[in-house]
Amino acid sequence: WYQRRVRDPVESKSSIEKPPPIASGSPAPSSDGYDTDLEIEEEKTSYDTTGRQVYVTQCKSMGIIPVSYFLRNMQSSEIQMSHHGLGPKGTKAIALALINNTSVLKLNLSDNALEAEGGQYIANMLRENCYITTLDLGENKLGTLGAKSLGDMLHSNVNLKEVFLSGNSFSDKDIEHFTDVMKDFRLTHFDLSKNCIGEKGGQLLGPAIGANESLEFLNVSWNNLRRRGAIAVAHGLKNNVMLKQLNLAWNGFGDEGAVALGEALRNNTIIQWLDISNNRITAEGAKYLAKGVEGNEGLKHFNVGFNPITPAGACQLLESFGKNSSTVIEHVDISNVRVDEDLWNTLKETKTTLENLKVTHQPYLEGRKKPNPIATLKEWLEHNKHFELVEVFKRFDEEESMEVSKEILFDAFQQAHLPFDKTNMELLIDQMDGENKGAVNYTALLETDQIKWLDECVVQYNSNVAG
């Protein structure tokens, strides 16, 4: 039996200090003779299947303190090391230790400032480790070189099943490193959410989705997929034969993307869970989605919440599910859509036809002549706590007068992608302008929490309705 160890740092200082350069377009090298800073020599000693001795030795040689959690759990099947501030050097020591580890199956190093260098260390380790099946490197700023290293590794690694790469600043160009291998890799779960994938990236991603035959779960939410990129992704879904869950929330599909998604839903009977919330889809887009679900036989969970589809658009969707005798739908989310009398009646009729259907919606406030957009905004902000309403006011208050005109505020809210159609946006601003001055004063918003401020607006709104 032999134990692997890293070459003396004095003998190979350059390879220890930083990962080897990766030639653009070069094929993934084999493990035989692969010259990286993970290269090892052999010496006769007892075989360490955990890598503990290697880890301690490397930490000492690099002048870093070993992470006690890692030492305690090297024989466990799962390592959860989020938020440990490892950096590239700490990651390198862990990567070296895991080359020969036979216990760890799931590795979570999210939010550890790995950067591209740390991503390369992990990728190189996974060329040799054949036990790890789940990898989470989210929120690590891996960037272009990190994407290149991981994409090359996925060409040869057949053991990984789940890879999570959320929040790594991957651009359209970076995505190509993954789309090139998507048709061949063995992953079942892939997370690329919260990156910078735009229209061109979507055009690369779409065909890759269509060609892939292993993925069951794909998350590309919180990107910039729109126009031709959004259409390409929808066409990929249309041609896919394996994907069961797809998260497209918080992109820019709009009505163009909705048309393509409707066509995909007519043809794809495999997808079971689809989230297209917060995608600026209007009632016109909802019409095409309704045509798609009318003949769909696989969709169980459908989230179209926080899109300005209006009550009429929501009615069309629900009616289409009700007409579909082969539907298996279990849950529809139409959060933020105002429930008027027509939508309320459609909800009741649909639930009569589909007894087990659950619909997430706003309450029906019988007898009220007007909707309550402020309450809708309050609910939206509670789900999107990162959004600072006061920053919108400040940005468009060029004179610093603590007031923003209703016309300017309408444009500001549209640019901020608040979930309202034109009619409800105008009503929202009318209700914020309690004094009917033609402008909204936001002084009180600076002095209190935005939810509390909106609570006060709701009280004022209810008072106006009652009056």
Side-chain angles (χ1 to χ4, degrees):
W1 294 94
Y2 296 91
Q3 176 179 348
R4 293 175 170 181
R5 67 180 179 85
V6 178
R7 292 182 295 182
D8 188 334
V10 175
E11 298 175 3
S12 56
K13 183 176 180 181
S14 63
S15 65
I16 291 294
E17 293 300 325
K18 60 183 180 180
I22 300 176
S24 176
S26 60
S30 67
S31 58
D32 295 330
Y34 183 65
D35 186 18
T36 73
D37 61 349
L38 299 182
E39 187 175 349
I40 47 76
E41 296 175 353
E42 295 181 345
E43 66 176 0
K44 296 181 179 179
T45 184
S46 58
Y47 185 67
D48 180 9
T49 58
T50 66
R52 181 185 179 91
Q53 183 179 344
V54 173
Y55 181 61
V56 173
T57 301
Q58 289 307 309
C59 287
K60 183 177 180 180
S61 70
M62 289 186 282
I64 60 178
I65 300 174
V67 179
S68 58
Y69 170 87
F70 185 61
L71 287 169
R72 290 196 308 269
N73 290 275
M74 293 181 76
Q75 289 182 306
S76 302
S77 63
E78 185 170 359
I79 296 290
Q80 288 280 352
M81 289 187 64
S82 301
H83 325 302
H84 275 68
L86 295 174
K89 290 175 66 176
T91 304
K92 177 182 177 181
I94 287 174
L96 290 165
L98 289 176
I99 289 177
N100 292 328
N101 184 286
T102 61
S103 301
V104 177
L105 305 179
K106 297 182 179 181
L107 178 62
N108 184 344
L109 298 179
S110 59
D111 191 21
N112 271 292
L114 270 62
E115 301 180 346
E117 185 178 346
Q120 288 177 285
Y121 292 136
I122 295 299
N124 289 339
M125 176 270 292
L126 287 169
R127 295 177 188 276
E128 301 189 45
N129 182 298
C130 58
Y131 292 91
I132 293 175
T133 59
T134 300
L135 176 68
D136 189 341
L137 297 182
E139 307 295 336
N140 272 302
K141 300 181 180 178
L142 298 178
T144 300
L145 290 178
K148 169 65 175 172
S149 299
L150 292 168
D152 287 347
M153 176 272 295
L154 288 171
H155 274 285
S156 57
N157 188 302
V158 297
N159 301 294
L160 276 172
K161 300 302 178 187
E162 301 179 336
V163 174
F164 302 90
L165 299 174
S166 175
N168 276 296
S169 304
F170 294 146
S171 66
D172 287 345
K173 184 178 179 181
D174 301 334
I175 287 303
E176 189 171 1
H177 297 303
F178 300 114
T179 56
D180 283 348
V181 71
M182 277 182 70
K183 63 181 179 181
D184 298 319
F185 66 26
R186 309 287 182 86
L187 299 183
T188 60
H189 287 62
F190 198 27
D191 186 345
L192 288 171
S193 62
K194 299 182 180 179
N195 281 292
C196 305
I197 309 173
E199 183 174 3
K200 292 182 179 178
Q203 289 177 280
L204 294 171
L205 191 60
I209 292 172
N212 180 272
E213 296 183 354
S214 67
L215 280 178
E216 297 180 6
F217 170 91
L218 177 62
N219 185 354
V220 288
S221 62
W222 288 89
N223 279 286
N224 301 306
L225 298 170
R226 57 195 64 196
R227 294 185 289 272
R228 288 177 294 180
I231 293 171
V233 169
H235 287 168
L237 175 61
K238 175 183 175 181
N239 297 321
N240 186 276
V241 296
M242 185 61 68
L243 201 59
K244 293 182 174 63
Q245 297 186 38
L246 178 60
N247 191 342
L248 299 173
W250 285 97
N251 280 285
F253 269 62
D255 291 340
E256 287 181 294
V259 172
L261 281 172
E263 181 182 354
L265 288 171
R266 281 199 302 272
N267 292 274
N268 185 311
T269 59
I270 306 298
I271 192 74
Q272 298 178 3
W273 187 97
L274 180 61
D275 187 344
I276 55 172
S277 58
N278 289 286
N279 264 287
R280 293 183 288 169
I281 298 171
T282 72
E284 181 66 17
K287 178 174 66 176
Y288 291 94
L289 292 173
K291 291 179 180 178
V293 302
E294 190 170 329
N296 184 279
E297 300 178 359
L299 194 62
K300 294 182 179 181
H301 301 272
F302 192 31
N303 187 349
V304 292
F306 296 101
N307 282 296
I309 62 174
T310 74
C315 283
Q316 286 184 300
L317 277 172
L318 293 173
E319 288 169 355
S320 292
F321 281 118
K323 294 175 183 177
N324 185 353
S325 60
S326 300
T327 186
V328 292
I329 192 69
E330 297 174 359
H331 179 220
V332 176
D333 189 329
I334 53 172
S335 297
N336 100 294
V337 178
R338 175 174 58 89
V339 179
D340 60 12
E341 184 176 358
D342 290 339
L343 179 52
W344 180 246
N345 290 332
T346 300
L347 281 164
K348 291 190 294 184
E349 292 171 5
T350 304
K351 290 183 178 181
T352 299
T353 305
L354 304 172
E355 296 180 357
N356 296 321
L357 176 64
K358 176 184 176 181
V359 181
T360 300
H361 61 85
Q362 288 191 339
Y364 173 52
L365 305 176
E366 187 174 3
R368 290 196 175 179
K369 296 180 179 180
K370 292 185 177 181
N372 189 341
I374 294 179
T376 299
L377 178 59
K378 177 173 174 288
E379 180 184 350
W380 186 83
L381 289 171
E382 287 175 342
H383 283 84
N384 300 276
K385 297 184 182 298
H386 68 285
F387 190 91
E388 295 291 339
L389 190 61
V390 69
E391 295 301 323
V392 178
F393 280 94
K394 286 181 178 180
R395 179 182 174 188
F396 287 85
D397 182 14
E398 295 181 353
E399 299 180 358
E400 299 183 357
S401 63
M402 304 306 297
E403 289 187 346
V404 180
S405 72
K406 293 167 71 171
E407 293 79 11
I408 292 176
L409 196 57
F410 183 92
D411 292 337
F413 284 171
Q414 279 196 322
Q415 292 182 36
H417 305 311
L418 293 189
F420 297 99
D421 58 18
K422 181 177 183 294
T423 300
N424 282 286
M425 189 81 82
E426 290 174 344
L427 182 55
L428 168 70
I429 296 171
D430 284 344
Q431 296 304 320
M432 286 183 172
D433 180 20
E435 300 178 4
N436 197 27
K437 294 167 43 179
V440 177
N441 187 301
Y442 64 97
T443 303
L445 183 57
L446 294 172
E447 301 170 353
T448 186
D449 175 79
Q450 62 184 3
I451 298 299
K452 292 181 180 179
W453 182 71
L454 285 168
D455 281 336
E456 296 174 2
C457 292
V458 170
V459 171
Q460 181 63 43
Y461 172 79
N462 290 339
S463 174
N464 291 341
V465 171

